[in-house]
Amino acid sequence: TEYQENLIPYTRDELIKKVHEKLDDKRFQHCLRVEQQAFQLAKQNQVNTEKAAIAGLLHDYAKQRSDHDFIKVINDKQMDPELLDYGNAIWHGVVGAEFIKDELHIFDEEILNAVRRHTVGAPYMTRLDQIIYMADYIEPGRDFPGVEKARELTNQSLKKGVFFQTQQTLKYLVENGRPIYPGTIATYNAWQNIQ
Ligand code: GDP
Ligand code: FE
Ligand code: FE
């Protein structure tokens, strides 16, 4: 399968190889499932399917980098120092997009933003952002209480899915005494009244 648009300087096979090189097989297989799930959600929601597939494949590209590597990028690029209070869970998306630019030379801001927003969301999310956020949560390999409800809501409306996921994630973090990134709370508040 070849990409029809020149969004990135690679074929799908070349991109797959580059992603696989940076991830263990389990994480790589998850990325392939998110690619397919994102393609399907894009088709259902009249979004560019190729962009969705590429962003889905790339979304966890930086997941297995060391804390040291992330801290260096945050400092070198003078990103928000508040990021330093969090860890890989937050960094691999928000900061991970920088590795995609620097190593893969992919500069499509819609794709990069979807990667940046895939874990914590954002008060304003494009439909592509919403698709990657949800595809990551409901891909067929996911199995947790509530995933079927998440799939049903997302098929009804992306926005319902986004609010549900944000609410579930916040509940989980609070119940487990985990720190909450302010961006996660901002997402929750902004998506509050979406029906
Ligand atoms: P994955 O990369 O495919 O495993 O999925 P995600 O990128 O969606 O999430 C990575 C992890 O980040 C999950 O375990 C979430 O629970 C966690 N996470 C999401 N929001 C926050 C937050 O505000 N604070 C913290 N500490 N973790 C979060
Ligand atoms: Fe992730
Ligand atoms: Fe993921």
Side-chain angles (χ1 to χ4, degrees):
T1 45
E2 298 298 315
Y3 294 129
Q4 302 298 308
E5 296 180 62
N6 291 320
L7 294 165
I8 59 167
Y10 314 107
T11 64
R12 177 170 177 263
D13 285 349
E14 286 166 345
L15 186 61
I16 281 184
K17 187 161 175 281
K18 286 175 188 293
V19 172
H20 203 172
E21 273 169 15
K22 301 293 186 188
L23 298 173
D24 64 33
D25 202 57
K26 187 164 173 252
R27 179 62 52 179
F28 172 67
Q29 296 300 331
H30 162 69
C31 290
L32 289 179
R33 290 190 299 269
V34 175
E35 177 197 34
Q36 296 310 313
Q37 185 69 63
F39 182 91
Q40 195 193 311
L41 287 175
K43 224 170 22 180
Q44 277 170 233
N45 290 279
Q46 294 85 42
V47 168
N48 183 327
T49 50
E50 209 155 280
K51 264 195 195 199
I54 292 167
L57 182 58
L58 283 172
H59 81 288
D60 277 341
Y61 176 72
K63 182 86 176 185
Q64 292 173 333
R65 305 309 169 96
S66 67
D67 288 359
H68 172 271
D69 285 359
F70 281 115
I71 291 165
K72 183 165 162 45
V73 171
I74 294 165
N75 288 327
D76 287 356
K77 299 203 180 203
Q78 299 182 35
M79 296 179 82
D80 185 353
E82 184 181 50
L83 284 165
L84 295 168
D85 296 339
Y86 297 87
N88 181 280
I90 304 302
W91 296 339
H92 80 280
V94 177
V95 186
E98 302 304 311
F99 292 85
I100 294 173
K101 281 194 283 187
D102 297 345
E103 297 176 8
L104 301 179
H105 314 292
I106 291 173
F107 301 107
D108 185 294
E109 276 295 319
E110 292 181 353
I111 293 174
L112 296 171
N113 278 333
V115 172
R116 291 185 181 109
R117 295 170 183 162
H118 90 264
T119 306
V120 300
Y124 174 77
M125 295 166 82
T126 64
R127 277 181 310 159
L128 180 67
D129 296 339
Q130 297 172 45
I131 282 170
I132 302 307
Y133 187 74
M134 293 320 303
D136 187 24
Y137 197 63
I138 67 169
E139 58 94 345
R142 296 290 197 196
D143 184 18
F144 53 83
V147 71
E148 271 312 321
K149 178 155 186 206
R151 290 181 178 126
E152 282 165 27
L153 288 173
T154 306
N155 283 323
Q156 284 170 31
S157 111
L158 277 176
K159 288 178 195 288
K160 284 186 190 175
V162 170
F163 181 70
F164 181 74
Q165 175 179 171
T166 309
Q167 182 185 26
Q168 294 299 112
T169 298
L170 261 177
K171 263 198 239 181
Y172 165 85
L173 293 167
V174 170
E175 278 166 10
N176 290 279
R178 305 284 306 150
I180 296 171
Y181 183 63
T184 304
I185 298 173
T187 303
Y188 175 76
N189 285 333
W191 287 79
Q192 198 53 241
N193 296 312
I194 305 290
Q195 34 269 320

